[in-house]
Amino acid sequence: MGDDDECLVSEETLNLLYGASNTSNLEKSFEILIKESKSNVGRSDLASKSVLPAVLKLVNSLANASHRQRHHLLLSLCFKLLRNLCAGEIANQNSFLELNGVTIVSDILRLEAGSSRPDQGLVRWGLQVLANVSLAGKQHQCAVWEELYPVGFVSLTRLGSKETCDPLCMVIYTCCDGNPEWFRELLSDGGWSLMTEIVRTAASAGFGEDWLKLLLSRICLEESQSSALFSKLYFVDVPDGENIDSKEDQFSSEQAFLLQILSEILNERIRDVTISVDVALFLFGIFKKSIGVLEHALRGKSGLPSGSAAVDILGYSLIILRDICAQDSVRDNRENTEDVVDVLLSHGLIELTLNLLGDLEPPAIIRKGIKQFENQDGASCSSKPCPYKGFRRDIVAIIGNCVYRRKQAQDEIRYRNGILLLLQQCVTDDDNPFLREWGIWSVRNMLEGNEENQRIVAELELQGSANVPEIAALGLRVEVDQRTRRAKLVNVPSNEQ
């Protein structure tokens, strides 16, 4: 820090900072005050010494100085100190607002966003200042929102940095969380341009904190706007006059990223996130649209993400549907989830997933032992590879979740001749980790409390059909507990093998 920096600081401000830090060096003073302001006691003590007004006055001087780039180190130290001072200390938060701190900091952020060489660290710390100030309440949130929405926020997203994306999401979410009407503003034209830029930045640069997930959970799941945001992330070039809907298997990497994040959100919060019928049907529609990739897909060499946007769309939409269908089994009651799953069933979810499962090539363990499977009429079975490791498992999982204590779904498995097909999934498979466990879960749910399905399995066992090689090779067989009416796979005693 040079003499030019100290010349910008008034003697009164220097004396206040030196007195609060008990040092006579400006850079050392900031280091001491930044450290002290990390604790509640320290923040309160510095508030009583009027450190924040002095720092804010200095920031304003630096912002108006010529050759502002020379003073970035001092500005960075000011922002770090302001961030700490405003972290939960209401006296500092109020002082910041009263002294027009929101405008002062926002002006610097806008200048950086428009610079040819923006200081990403400075922007990050400035956003953290505004985020901490906005936590103080509606008046503070209103000042930040009105200063930056939407143009200022959009310009900051275009920096394309993980370091700035995280605190930007924090500012936006914190402001909107206390003001639901601003979430509705995010669903307007100005808001959509902001959200698409945020998703594109996170998709390319990554993110490190949960604020993005909180923001997307609120917009896409709680506000049921998944379809709107997904469609605005479509970026494939389409010739004039050509219908976008005709390009069934073309998706953007940003769309795949959005579904990946939504799948993580639902998996992490499966007990408390409620999915609406509209969102469920949108995802089912995307899943059906993405199935076209199977016509030319190769066997996947990895799990998700696979590196292919189309394959990832297929996989993540399937995983989200799997977890939607699992929600009632992990909650104390079904609430809205039963209606959602019933709607999915009425739109052909069982039929579609059974067809997909039947069209897949046999699991690896069976392919090694049997050269060719034949239908009853002698024709070769369809043989489509799993486009990513775990695809078969995810299909089996969604079927198993659908038939959990739903007689209608259990019966549909029987009507569509899917009982033996499900029995054949109770195998280990290198391409589908945990396939055997999900297969057992699905068979158990398919048979629980359903005497007709149990009878079919018993007849298959008598015919030898249910004693399929892949199950017998594991030393297992299906049994139904006559007391509980629950089906299970049990070990066959060695003297019976």
Side-chain angles (χ1 to χ4, degrees):
M1 193 175 294
D3 294 337
D4 288 344
D5 291 321
E6 295 209 10
C7 289
L8 290 171
V9 189
S10 69
E11 185 175 352
E12 179 185 3
T13 299
L14 279 176
N15 289 336
L16 190 150
L17 295 176
Y18 290 162
S21 59
N22 196 26
T23 183
S24 58
N25 176 275
L26 187 57
E27 184 174 357
K28 185 66 175 177
S29 177
F30 270 100
E31 291 176 357
I32 292 171
L33 295 175
I34 288 170
K35 183 177 181 180
E36 184 177 348
S37 62
K38 289 182 178 180
S39 69
N40 292 333
V41 173
R43 285 190 288 272
S44 179
D45 179 58
L46 295 178
S48 68
K49 296 176 180 178
S50 300
V51 168
L52 184 140
V55 176
L56 202 52
K57 184 177 180 180
L58 174 55
V59 170
N60 198 30
S61 299
L62 292 170
N64 294 321
S66 59
H67 305 296
R68 182 174 49 86
Q69 293 287 340
R70 295 180 183 175
H71 310 296
H72 269 203
L73 174 58
L74 184 52
L75 266 176
S76 296
L77 292 172
C78 289
F79 277 8
K80 289 179 182 179
L81 180 52
L82 288 172
R83 174 198 61 189
N84 291 0
L85 290 171
C86 293
E89 175 54 56
I90 191 62
N92 285 330
Q93 292 166 327
N94 287 340
S95 180
F96 185 90
L97 189 64
E98 292 164 3
L99 295 171
N100 205 29
V102 172
T103 299
I104 294 171
V105 171
S106 296
D107 284 346
I108 294 175
L109 295 180
R110 274 189 286 259
L111 287 170
E112 289 299 320
S115 169
S116 59
R117 298 179 63 185
D119 186 329
Q120 302 281 2
L122 186 64
V123 174
R124 176 178 175 82
W125 296 316
L127 285 169
Q128 289 174 339
V129 172
L130 298 181
N132 285 347
V133 169
S134 66
L135 288 169
K138 187 158 188 170
Q139 185 180 4
H140 302 71
Q141 294 158 0
C142 185
V144 173
W145 189 259
E146 292 181 352
E147 185 68 42
L148 288 172
Y149 180 85
V151 178
F153 285 141
V154 172
S155 66
L156 290 167
T157 64
R158 289 174 179 162
L159 292 174
S161 164
K162 172 183 175 180
E163 287 71 24
T164 58
C165 186
D166 284 334
L168 179 62
C169 288
M170 179 182 177
V171 172
I172 295 171
Y173 181 83
T174 302
C175 286
C176 293
D177 191 42
N179 304 274
E181 65 274 15
W182 293 341
F183 268 117
R184 290 191 287 273
E185 284 193 35
L186 283 179
L187 311 182
S188 66
D189 290 341
W192 285 129
S193 63
L194 172 58
M195 288 309 304
T196 54
E197 286 295 336
I198 286 175
V199 173
R200 288 193 173 104
T201 295
S204 61
F207 66 100
E209 300 171 8
D210 284 340
W211 297 105
L212 174 67
K213 286 186 176 181
L214 289 170
L215 200 52
L216 292 178
S217 178
R218 180 63 179 267
I219 291 171
C220 295
L221 302 182
E222 295 178 43
E223 300 290 337
S224 299
Q225 295 297 315
S226 302
S227 175
L229 182 54
F230 185 89
S231 66
K232 293 181 184 301
L233 292 169
Y234 188 84
F235 81 139
V236 176
D237 292 330
V238 180
D240 291 341
E242 185 171 344
N243 186 356
I244 290 179
D245 291 337
S246 67
K247 295 185 169 294
E248 293 188 356
D249 59 351
Q250 294 194 26
F251 299 96
S252 71
S253 59
E254 289 89 351
Q255 288 176 320
F257 174 79
L258 175 63
L259 291 194
Q260 178 183 354
I261 298 304
L262 294 181
S263 73
E264 292 176 6
I265 292 169
L266 183 56
N267 186 262
E268 292 165 358
R269 302 178 58 204
I270 194 167
R271 293 182 181 274
D272 51 40
V273 172
T274 298
I275 304 299
S276 69
V277 169
D278 287 344
V279 171
L281 288 179
F282 155 69
L283 291 165
F284 187 46
I286 291 298
F287 176 57
K288 290 193 293 184
K289 189 175 180 180
S290 65
I291 286 172
V293 73
L294 294 174
E295 295 302 323
H296 47 77
L298 301 175
R299 184 179 298 123
K301 296 181 179 180
S302 69
L304 297 175
S306 67
S308 162
V311 171
D312 288 349
I313 292 285
L314 175 71
Y316 287 123
S317 59
L318 176 60
I319 289 172
I320 296 173
L321 290 169
R322 176 201 70 191
D323 288 344
I324 290 174
C325 295
Q327 282 190 305
D328 65 295
S329 66
V330 299
R331 292 177 173 174
D332 293 334
N333 56 69
R334 291 189 173 183
E335 299 174 353
N336 181 51
T337 55
E338 184 175 18
D339 294 335
V340 173
V341 177
D342 285 345
V343 170
L344 289 172
L345 293 175
S346 71
H347 280 72
L349 180 57
I350 291 289
E351 178 181 11
L352 179 61
T353 49
L354 280 178
N355 287 339
L356 286 174
L357 188 60
D359 285 346
L360 290 178
E361 63 184 4
I365 192 173
I366 303 174
R367 292 199 307 270
K368 293 176 183 178
I370 302 176
K371 294 181 179 179
Q372 183 179 8
F373 278 91
E374 293 185 348
N375 291 324
Q376 292 181 353
D377 60 3
S380 297
C381 292
S382 299
S383 182
K384 294 178 180 177
C386 290
Y388 66 87
K389 286 184 178 294
F391 180 60
R392 175 190 296 276
R393 172 205 63 213
D394 293 338
I395 295 177
V396 173
I398 197 173
I399 294 173
N401 289 342
C402 282
V403 298
Y404 178 77
R405 297 183 181 177
R406 285 189 182 85
K407 190 171 187 305
Q408 171 192 354
Q410 295 171 339
D411 291 342
E412 187 172 358
I413 299 293
R414 182 176 72 253
Y415 298 151
R416 298 191 182 282
N417 298 316
I419 290 179
L420 182 56
L421 180 62
L422 278 187
L423 288 171
Q424 292 170 335
Q425 310 308 313
C426 302
V427 297
T428 55
D429 184 5
D430 293 340
D431 293 333
N432 289 274
F434 302 106
L435 174 63
R436 177 177 179 272
E437 289 77 7
W438 279 109
I440 293 172
W441 163 256
S442 299
V443 169
R444 170 210 178 279
N445 291 345
M446 174 186 68
L447 298 180
E448 182 182 9
N450 194 306
E451 294 183 1
E452 283 297 305
N453 286 357
Q454 295 170 16
R455 181 182 60 79
I456 294 293
V457 170
E459 290 177 356
L460 289 171
E461 287 181 327
L462 289 174
Q463 298 166 7
S465 302
N467 189 25
V468 290
E470 57 270 29
I471 294 179
L474 295 170
L476 299 171
R477 71 181 179 197
V478 178
E479 283 189 0
V480 178
D481 188 313
Q482 296 303 313
R483 182 178 61 83
T484 65
R485 314 304 297 168
R486 292 186 176 184
K488 57 184 177 180
L489 286 179
V490 299
N491 292 315
V492 179
S494 56
N495 61 352
E496 294 183 21
Q497 295 184 22

